[in-house]
Amino acid sequence: MVSKLIIDGVQGGLSLLGYQLTRAAKDPTYVPSPPNTYPTYSPSEEASFRSLHERFNHRTLCARDRAYILQQVAKQAMHVPGDFAEAGVFRGGTSWFLAHLLREAGDSRTLHALDSFEGMPADTEKARDGHDPGDFGDTSLESVQEFLSEFENITFHPGFIPGTLAPLEDLSFALVHVDVDIHDAVRDCCAFFYPRLAPGGVMLFDDYGFEVYKNAARKAADDYFADKPESLVVLRTGQAMVTKLPPSTA
């Protein structure tokens, strides 16, 4: 309001002198940058991928765009030595997907499936973790094993992390899909799997970018990798990934 009164006053004074206040002419050579409204290619929307996702989406909460990222990371990880692991299996949907991708590629490496198969642990804190104890308990080891029974190279590790990790101590990994949501489980996955990740191997965090997990999955990953040479690459899908660098030759 004040600025309009000032402008009106100046205009009135100039008018008495025979002048007119106008805006400066735009530079005719100036071309503003267009807004970022160009349509982008979304491969997860291709009919072939939509059809594939429909084969397991009833057994997972992993949306199609995140599943596509998982697929591409898995394909790249097949060129890296080491096993695959999924921490946080729930009803087995993305474990089925990873096992399917390995079989389609003729790759016989082992997929390790880790989950309590009875929901979140008793020490889960809603304020920190975004979940209550027992959340995601509508599953069972038996139902997941039945769903994945067509595959031969899956090893199940039922129970709560980190208590189920000891049998994996002498292994190396090309891909670790971390979908455990809560802070302590993500922290324990980082501490265990990162040192065992082969150079070029990937840890893919499913829940990193979701606001409900900012004090859980995100904080645990951020804290762990704060002093590591690798950087977390945060994706617009809500995921984040870390690719293991080769040992320094310096």
Side-chain angles (χ1 to χ4, degrees):
M1 179 63 71
V2 174
S3 60
K4 184 176 187 305
L5 292 173
I6 293 174
I7 292 172
D8 289 346
V10 172
Q11 178 65 69
L14 290 172
S15 296
L16 294 175
L17 298 175
Y19 295 98
Q20 177 68 34
L21 181 66
T22 61
R23 291 181 181 273
K26 292 183 177 180
D27 179 355
T29 65
Y30 171 70
V31 179
S33 300
N36 187 22
T37 57
Y38 295 117
T40 57
Y41 173 52
S42 299
S44 65
E45 295 302 314
E46 292 282 356
S48 58
F49 190 80
R50 292 171 67 94
S51 177
L52 176 58
H53 186 252
E54 288 172 0
R55 297 176 64 181
F56 64 93
N57 69 350
H58 63 295
R59 305 280 300 199
T60 183
L61 298 176
C62 184
R64 192 164 53 246
D65 58 347
R66 303 207 307 279
Y68 177 79
I69 295 295
L70 177 58
Q71 172 186 268
Q72 297 306 102
V73 170
K75 286 183 175 181
Q76 180 169 309
M78 289 178 199
H79 298 279
V80 176
D83 288 350
F84 279 18
E86 179 166 60
V89 172
F90 188 36
R91 295 177 178 170
T94 47
S95 289
W96 182 96
F97 188 37
L98 288 172
H100 169 79
L101 294 173
L102 288 169
R103 184 173 63 186
E104 289 292 295
D107 193 315
S108 61
R109 76 183 73 200
T110 299
L111 168 63
H112 298 273
L114 300 99
D115 200 287
S116 70
F117 300 102
E118 57 184 71
M120 295 297 181
D123 60 353
T124 302
E125 298 178 11
K126 183 76 170 184
R128 179 192 64 184
D129 298 314
H131 287 293
D132 292 315
D135 281 0
F136 298 126
D138 50 340
T139 185
S140 70
L141 175 60
E142 294 73 22
S143 68
V144 174
Q145 287 178 323
E146 181 179 357
F147 178 60
L148 301 176
S149 61
E150 64 183 283
F151 303 105
E152 298 179 354
N153 299 318
I154 302 180
T155 301
F156 293 90
H157 304 271
F160 292 106
I161 292 170
T164 56
L165 297 174
L168 310 179
E169 287 182 350
D170 296 329
L171 302 178
S172 64
F173 296 88
L175 171 66
V176 182
H177 184 220
V178 181
D179 189 8
V180 290
D181 302 359
I182 62 176
H183 178 275
D184 289 358
V186 174
R187 177 200 63 199
D188 293 340
C189 283
C190 290
F192 183 85
F193 285 110
Y194 169 80
R196 294 169 175 81
L197 203 63
V202 177
M203 292 186 71
L204 179 65
F205 299 88
D206 181 72
D207 308 299
Y208 178 95
F210 296 101
E211 189 66 16
V212 68
Y213 299 126
K214 66 180 180 180
N215 297 318
R218 189 189 314 173
K219 186 177 189 307
D222 284 347
D223 288 349
Y224 184 81
F225 285 100
D227 62 351
K228 304 296 184 294
E230 293 83 4
S231 296
L232 281 160
V233 178
V234 182
L235 308 176
R236 294 190 67 180
T237 55
Q239 297 156 300
M241 59 184 288
V242 169
T243 303
K244 187 72 172 284
L245 295 171
S248 175
T249 56

